[in-house]
């Protein structure tokens, strides 16, 4: 019985094309801007109890600190290993939604004007940035036609 030699999956042409597409997407100014803004948003979320002045609400302060650090870790790696981390943007979007809801959900009486305003604005910005990061992975390469690897201009009509 003859054995066939199979190449490892890492050498598959479709996987190589996918990695190249992700590398191009991560190198765009849009992706770099989203990553930078996401890092700043996560940093603000982590420090917001002390910046906005609601650090006395321990449960919300700890929640924001943990969520901010997690948000930075989830979206901070987009530039280095985009093809592996772009799906984490959906988890970052969930953190943004949680940030909006946290003043009313965490234990204690923490729903005051400062905490609500800070968390709502930060949560909305975090969610929008995460959705922008997730949508960047879905952007299609328009230079190729559907079902073909040839550029549109080079295809015979």
């Amino acid at each position: 019985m003859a054995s066939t030699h199979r190449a490892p999956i890492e050498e598959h042409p479709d996987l190589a094309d996918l990695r190249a597409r992700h590398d191009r997407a991560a190198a765009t100014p849009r992706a770099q801007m989203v990553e930078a803004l996401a890092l700043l948003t996560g940093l603000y979320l982590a420090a917001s109890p002390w910046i906005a002045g609601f650090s006395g609400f321990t449960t919300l302060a700890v929640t924001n600190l943990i969520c901010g650090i997690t948000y930075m870790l989830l979206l901070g790696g987009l530039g280095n290993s985009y093809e592996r981390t772009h799906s984490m943007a959906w988890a970052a979007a969930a953190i943004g939604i949680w940030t909006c809801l946290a003043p009313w959900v965490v234990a204690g009486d923490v729903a005051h004007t400062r905490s609500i305003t800070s968390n709502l604005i930060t949560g909305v910005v975090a969610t929008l940035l995460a959705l922008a990061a997730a949508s960047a992975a879905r952007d299609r390469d328009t230079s190729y036609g559907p079902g073909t690897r040839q550029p549109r201009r080079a295809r015979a009509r």
Side-chain angles (χ1 to χ4, degrees), residues 15-89:
L15 188 58
D17 289 343
L18 182 65
R19 284 188 179 146
R21 182 172 64 95
H22 286 308
D23 288 341
R24 284 191 307 271
T28 63
R30 175 185 170 205
Q32 293 171 355
M33 179 187 67
V34 167
E35 181 183 4
L37 290 175
L39 287 172
L40 289 174
T41 301
L43 181 63
Y44 175 78
L45 178 59
S48 64
W50 296 274
I51 294 171
F54 58 90
S55 61
F57 307 131
T58 308
T59 54
L60 187 60
V62 170
T63 298
N64 282 9
L65 180 65
I66 293 169
C67 287
I69 291 170
T70 305
Y71 188 84
M72 285 190 303
L73 291 174
L74 287 175
L75 290 184
L78 289 177
N80 297 331
S81 58
Y82 186 77
E83 76 270 4
R84 292 178 191 89
T85 60
H86 70 273
S87 61
M88 288 190 238

Side-chain angles (χ1 to χ4, degrees), residues 47-146:
S48 64
W50 296 274
I51 294 171
F54 58 90
S55 61
F57 307 131
T58 308
T59 54
L60 187 60
V62 170
T63 298
N64 282 9
L65 180 65
I66 293 169
C67 287
I69 291 170
T70 305
Y71 188 84
M72 285 190 303
L73 291 174
L74 287 175
L75 290 184
L78 289 177
N80 297 331
S81 58
Y82 186 77
E83 76 270 4
R84 292 178 191 89
T85 60
H86 70 273
S87 61
M88 288 190 238
W90 293 106
I95 289 174
I97 293 168
W98 167 254
T99 301
C100 292
L101 299 174
W104 295 283
V105 177
V106 298
D109 185 26
V110 297
H112 296 284
T113 304
R114 285 187 201 177
S115 62
I116 292 171
T117 304
S118 177
N119 274 36
L120 281 178
I121 292 171
T122 307
V124 167
V125 169
T127 303
L128 292 175
L129 287 171
L131 292 176
S135 73
R138 297 184 56 106
D139 288 345
R140 292 193 176 125
D141 186 1
T142 57
S143 64
Y144 292 92

